[in-house]
Amino acid sequence: MVVDTPAPEIDDDDVDRLFHALADATRRDIVVAAMEGEHSVSALARRYPMSVAAVQKHVAVLERAHLVTKERRGREQIVRMNIDAIRQASRLLDAIEDLWRGRIARIGALLADEPEGAHP
Amino acid sequence: MSVIDVSKDLDALTMTMTAEFVAPVAKVWQVWENPRLLERWWGPPTHPATFVDHELEPGGRMHYFMTAPEGDTYHGWWRIVSVDPPTALELEDGFADDEGNPNPDLPVTVMRVTLSEQPGGITRMTVDAQYATREGMEQVIAMGVEEGMTLAVNQIDGLLAEAAATT
């Protein structure tokens, strides 16, 4: 069976989940911690005045928003940054670069167009 | 080619592009100062920009929109942080509603533009685009990638078509 591989797209539900995930200070802090390195859920729970179960819930929200991934390792659950999100940041900066390359090319053409610009 | 350097910082979430144009500084400044010239390059050919308000002064507000091929419009705003004609401009760029009112829930990009005179009647332009916060960048990732990628891809298509037409 031939199946087209669709380009990864972000739909409205993803955006809602992302906004919801980032609307909480603890969850933002967990994201920052996960960017710096991997942490177990119990280690994260020691950082905040809340139960392991409460931290689990926050991590689950972040997981659904694709910001972190969770992996069972022995008795621990390890939380780490979703590397795809980093790739997306990289892709975004590439897209911004492309956008500006287009703009620079158009400015160049515009300046060459003007009667004073004797240089084609 | 007129782009001479590009640097990107994934941690600081910045993109810096340096380009050179064969034109005096005062003339290159015009592409920012004159809204009718600005409209000719800000949006990609498929999504031309229209500047409704254009106040190039400190604290000045700009309202623009880009028109998609299907007629949909995407609105944006600028706030001029500082301006020193004809060599320096710093502004914030964000998303707006149809009336040009800034959408406070969407991320803002800070842009710094500097123009400097080089020997041989050349002007060097540096554009630095920076996202204010990591959260803002994450929102841009969600909101902007799809649109940004589409715009960029359309633009590349246009450039390739132009290149094909001239060979």
Side-chain angles (χ1 to χ4, degrees):
Chain A
M1 190 169 82
V2 178
V3 181
D4 283 337
T5 312
E9 280 189 18
I10 296 162
D11 63 21
D12 287 349
D13 288 345
D14 287 334
V15 173
D16 285 347
R17 277 192 289 271
L18 194 71
F19 275 99
H20 174 63
L22 293 170
D24 179 272
T26 303
R27 287 198 290 270
R28 285 198 297 272
D29 199 69
I30 293 174
V31 169
V32 172
M35 280 174 168
E36 287 156 0
E38 53 179 52
H39 301 271
S40 65
V41 171
S42 48
L44 286 171
R46 286 195 289 275
R47 294 166 70 111
Y48 311 106
M50 57 181 72
S51 65
V52 171
V55 170
Q56 287 273 27
K57 273 188 188 169
H58 282 312
V59 169
V61 172
L62 292 171
E63 228 185 337
R64 281 197 293 276
H66 308 295
L67 287 167
V68 301
T69 59
K70 197 172 65 184
E71 178 199 330
R72 181 164 281 287
R73 192 181 296 162
R75 301 169 72 174
E76 289 283 17
Q77 288 190 308
I78 306 297
V79 177
R80 65 162 76 103
M81 181 71 198
N82 182 357
I83 200 69
D84 285 345
I86 299 287
R87 289 208 187 99
Q88 283 184 332
S90 169
R91 274 173 45 206
L92 179 75
L93 284 175
D94 288 346
I96 290 166
E97 176 187 338
D98 288 338
L99 200 66
W100 274 99
R101 280 186 181 276
R103 285 175 178 159
I104 298 293
R106 289 192 293 277
I107 292 174
L110 192 57
L111 292 169
D113 245 15
E114 300 285 302
E116 276 172 53
H119 308 270
Chain B
M1 278 309 291
S2 52
V3 174
I4 59 169
D5 187 61
V6 181
S7 63
K8 286 175 279 186
D9 185 332
L10 265 180
D11 294 323
L13 305 170
T14 59
M15 195 250 7
T16 306
M17 188 171 281
T18 306
E20 286 185 347
F21 302 104
V22 185
V25 169
K27 206 160 140 65
V28 178
W29 180 256
Q30 282 295 311
V31 307
W32 291 93
E33 189 181 53
N34 180 337
R36 301 293 84 83
L37 291 180
L38 185 53
E39 286 171 346
R40 289 174 62 187
W41 64 269
W42 180 253
T46 52
H47 292 65
T50 305
F51 279 76
V52 187
D53 298 316
H54 184 280
E55 300 171 355
L56 196 61
E57 57 194 60
R61 290 273 176 187
M62 309 238 187
H63 166 205
Y64 68 89
F65 61 87
M66 299 207 233
T67 308
E70 303 78 31
D72 295 336
T73 56
Y74 301 96
H75 293 253
W77 59 269
W78 285 2
R79 190 182 73 85
I80 305 302
V81 178
S82 64
V83 55
D84 184 12
T87 56
L89 172 64
E90 180 173 342
L91 62 90
E92 295 172 338
D93 178 31
F95 296 85
D97 66 16
D98 289 0
E99 271 81 50
N101 303 306
N103 184 333
D105 299 325
L106 293 178
V108 172
T109 310
V110 177
M111 279 186 266
R112 292 180 197 85
V113 183
T114 53
L115 302 182
S116 67
E117 193 180 328
Q118 304 294 310
I122 288 174
T123 297
R124 178 171 295 177
M125 180 170 90
T126 300
V127 177
D128 177 85
Q130 178 180 39
Y131 296 87
T133 63
R134 203 168 274 186
E135 286 83 3
M137 183 68 183
E138 279 151 3
Q139 289 172 352
V140 169
I141 291 168
M143 305 296 291
V145 158
E146 204 176 347
E147 195 181 338
M149 290 300 278
T150 309
L151 291 177
V153 166
N154 286 343
Q155 197 162 296
I156 291 165
D157 285 347
L159 289 172
L160 290 174
E162 271 175 42
T166 54
T167 38

